[in-house]
Amino acid sequence: MGKNRILGILGSPRHNGNTATLLSRILESASAYGAETEYISLGDMNIRECDGCHACWRVFECAKHDDMNNVYPIIENSDVIVFGTPVYWYGPTALMKALIDRMVYFNCPETRKKIAGKRAVLVVPFEESDRKTAAPTVAMFELSLGYLGIPLIETLIVPGVTRRGEVRDRPEFMERAEAIGEQLARLQLQ
């Protein structure tokens, strides 16, 4: 059996923020347990909005010529995708939403088979203390990924963090991120 390939996607514009810290901990832990990991930061990429033109369904490639065309094969070659986004106005960041919208590419029968059955994890830190603040973001991921046949197997909700990197002072969340990484490395995939 080969190593699990785990892709971490940072949807926060902050490189050393709470989302990046949690995502990095998951990937470091997974790597320590033998997984192959890759990390991409959407803030370093140019991913434009989806036009809903469905060209990707006719010619099996997106009509937009931007960095998302390089992300599709990375997603395809991953076993598990860890999505990390803070809550911005009761939803994911615009960076993450653009990526999710562009995943319509995988919704046609010819490309859906490339990702159906992969697993996903969601990491959602946010400023407010009420866990319900993350509910719309979690629901969007559950519905969107579920529609594509990608089960969301773990969700790490981290309320009450606002200052850059302050989640490092919350050992319960850092330990949970580490445990998720180990779990992903040991996950039995088909």
Side-chain angles (χ1 to χ4, degrees):
M1 176 180 287
K3 296 179 179 183
N4 290 345
R5 295 165 304 199
I6 302 167
L7 170 63
I9 301 177
L10 177 63
S12 172
R14 293 169 128 183
H15 285 284
N16 297 309
N18 295 308
T19 310
T21 299
L22 292 163
L23 189 60
S24 292
R25 178 62 60 98
I26 289 171
L27 296 178
E28 289 163 6
S29 175
S31 181
Y33 285 95
E36 294 177 14
T37 62
E38 188 164 354
Y39 180 96
I40 60 175
S41 173
L42 299 180
D44 294 334
M45 304 179 119
N46 175 28
I47 297 178
R48 296 175 48 210
E49 73 288 343
C50 178
D51 290 335
C53 69
H54 289 98
C56 58
W57 287 32
R58 293 186 302 277
V59 296
F60 311 117
E61 70 178 52
C62 184
K64 303 261 181 173
H65 299 288
D66 62 11
D67 292 329
M68 190 64 191
N69 290 307
N70 299 322
V71 174
Y72 291 130
I74 297 170
I75 290 172
E76 291 171 20
N77 291 321
S78 300
D79 299 310
V80 180
I81 307 160
V82 184
F83 296 92
T85 181
V87 172
Y88 279 17
W89 286 101
Y90 304 98
T93 63
L95 295 169
M96 184 61 78
K97 185 64 167 80
L99 177 123
I100 294 296
D101 287 352
R102 294 283 294 281
M103 286 182 70
V104 71
Y105 165 84
F106 291 116
N107 195 33
C108 75
E110 289 79 8
T111 52
R112 184 181 289 231
K113 61 184 173 231
K114 294 179 179 183
I115 63 162
K118 294 185 184 300
R119 309 301 197 305
V121 172
L122 179 59
V123 177
V124 186
F126 52 95
E127 181 177 359
E128 293 184 28
S129 58
D130 187 350
R131 290 178 59 85
K132 292 179 189 172
T133 298
T137 300
V138 173
M140 186 209 76
F141 275 92
E142 287 174 338
L143 292 167
S144 299
L145 296 173
Y147 191 79
L148 293 173
I150 304 171
L152 188 59
I153 59 170
E154 288 288 342
T155 303
L156 178 57
I157 305 296
V158 183
V161 290
T162 236
R163 290 182 323 279
R164 187 182 301 253
E166 79 175 282
V167 74
R168 290 182 192 94
D169 299 328
R170 306 279 299 275
E172 69 276 22
F173 295 118
M174 295 304 291
E175 289 168 10
R176 182 72 184 116
E178 191 170 322
I180 290 171
E182 178 182 355
Q183 173 191 342
L184 297 179
R186 298 178 187 269
L187 193 64
Q188 297 294 314
L189 301 168
Q190 299 172 340

